[in-house]
Structures are given as structure tokens and as C-alpha cells.
Amino acid sequence: MAKEVLGVLCSGRGTDLQSIIDAIADGKLDAEIAVVLTDKPDVMALERARKAGIRNVCVNRKEYEDRESFERVLVAELEASGVTLVILAGFMRILSPYFVHAYSGRIMNIHPALLPSFGGAHAHRDVLAYGVKISGCTVHFVDEGMDSGPIILQATVPVLDDDTEETLGARVLEQEHIIYPKAIQLYVEGRLKVEGRHVRILEQ
Ligand code: GAR
């Protein structure tokens, strides 16, 4: 019996989801994914879940009048599936305090930049426009702010002179696929101790 039951929320392609599916299959991550939820229909993430035999549900945001009614359905789905840890994997919506409280301290997100720099929905574009030489990705716990919760792991990549959003994005994504399963496994092992803004990684 796996120790943690994951619910993964996605909006699109789902390569971060895939890295988690693969890490579980390879025995590197001791968890199970009970459900994959998306806010849009016909996205690759649903297909990836289907292929892996994971329950998958589209909760189409467009069918809900407001964020609260949409999120109530998400939370109900997660609870019905016995989810203990919520994983945001390319989920392009900001969660309300209602959702964050429902899974307080038990929501992780990955952001494709080195937070607290370049938060928001266009990280690679903003990184390139600013001219920084190093970028990367950040796994963090989710709090009520945007991209503002305590940082668990980060990885860096160089930003090259001829980078486009696509080439930089691909380089960052390679690192995402390494550190997201790692961060979840640390959680599973009970090795993440949150002290205010700091996440201490306990020795095994
Ligand atoms: C990833 O780069 C992830 O860091 C980013 O969306 C991409 C999803 O890729 N998330 C955010 O920007 C959240 N604000 P994927 O659909 O292939 O996993």
C-alpha cells in the first residue's frame, strides 16, 4: 500500500504528470496517483492518464459560473478519490483560499523559473526579456499567494544568447522532470519540515 495518494491537476500537455507516472513505475516514487483532473477537455494530460490506467476527469472551468463552484467540484473529486497530496502539474489557474485551506500544507506546484523571480504565466518570455543568464525551476508548497509558498527544491539551467521560449522551456522541462518526482518522494518519506518560509530537508 502506497503511503501517499496523489491527485494531479493539469491544464495541458502533461509532461510533468508523465514524469510522475514514470517515477512511480520505475520504483523511484512510492506513491499512487488516484486521479488526474483537468480544467479543459481534450488535453494530452487526460490521454496520458488514460494510457496509464489512472482515473481521469475533466472539470471544465467554462461550465461553471464562478471559481468557487468550479473548485468545489475539484475538491469533491479529490476527496472522493482519497487524495492526501495535491500535485499541480502545469495547472494554469490560481487556487482560492477555499481550495488552499481544504488541502492546507498538502499542495505542491512546479514553476518554470527560479522563484521568487519571474512568477506568473509567462516565465520564459519574462526571463528572456529581462536578460538573466540563469533560469530554472522551483517546486514549492502552495499558499494563498501566487507562486509564493515555501520552496522545496530548485534546479538551474543556463540561458543562452540564442534561446527562444521553446528552447529555454525544453531545457527547463528536463530539470522539472527530475526535481518534481524527487520533491514528492521527499514528502512521502516525511523528510520535508516546513518552518515559516523555510523547508528543511531532513536526513534519512
Ligand atoms: C511546466 O513548464 C510547468 O512548470 C508550467 O507549465 C508547464 C506544464 O508542462 N507551470 C506553470 O507555469 C504554472 N504556473 P506540461 O503540461 O508538459 O507538464
Side-chain angles (χ1 to χ4, degrees):
M1 174 77 183
K3 282 189 203 158
E4 294 294 336
V5 180
L6 311 182
V8 185
L9 272 58
C10 304
S11 294
R13 189 172 56 162
T15 66
D16 283 329
L17 164 67
Q18 191 66 53
S19 73
I20 295 163
I21 293 172
D22 294 345
I24 293 171
D26 294 346
K28 292 180 184 155
L29 175 52
D30 182 21
E32 65 170 280
I33 303 176
V35 67
V36 170
L37 300 176
T38 69
D39 59 337
K40 290 186 199 132
D42 305 322
V43 290
M44 269 291 288
L46 289 169
E47 188 53 35
R48 290 177 193 274
R50 235 172 263 139
K51 270 200 187 140
I54 300 167
R55 176 178 152 75
N56 54 92
V57 181
C58 167
V59 184
N60 191 344
R61 174 65 180 87
K62 289 202 174 134
E63 290 172 7
Y64 296 86
E65 234 170 60
D66 51 33
R67 182 164 69 168
E68 190 177 325
S69 50
F70 165 68
E71 287 188 353
R72 284 197 186 281
V73 177
L74 291 180
V75 169
E77 286 287 348
L78 294 167
E79 285 176 349
S81 298
V83 167
T84 57
L85 178 66
V86 178
I87 300 296
L88 307 184
F91 188 65
M92 302 308 279
R93 293 194 179 275
I94 296 166
L95 297 172
S96 74
Y98 156 72
F99 190 115
V100 174
H101 286 156
Y103 275 92
S104 181
R106 298 183 296 145
I107 310 172
M108 277 189 198
N109 181 43
I110 189 155
H111 181 76
L114 294 174
L115 294 174
S117 294
F118 306 111
H122 306 285
H124 302 312
R125 188 179 75 190
D126 298 343
V127 160
L128 292 173
Y130 201 92
V132 294
K133 305 290 188 191
I134 293 171
S135 190
C137 48
T138 304
V139 180
H140 63 94
F141 284 112
V142 172
D143 63 11
E144 288 179 20
M146 189 177 71
D147 299 326
S148 61
I151 291 172
I152 301 166
L153 290 178
Q154 292 183 302
T156 59
V157 302
V159 180
L160 306 180
D161 287 346
D162 58 355
D163 262 337
T164 61
E165 284 184 51
E166 288 68 34
T167 58
L168 175 60
R171 196 174 308 118
V172 170
L173 212 50
E174 273 181 37
Q175 297 303 313
E176 294 189 31
H177 298 161
I178 296 169
I179 68 168
Y180 213 1
K182 233 187 224 175
I184 300 167
Q185 179 62 17
L186 287 169
Y187 181 94
V188 166
E189 291 173 8
R191 293 174 58 197
L192 300 179
K193 187 160 183 249
V194 183
E195 294 170 348
R197 279 220 52 82
H198 299 261
V199 181
R200 313 280 179 208
I201 299 177
L202 305 176
E203 291 297 315
Q204 234 163 350

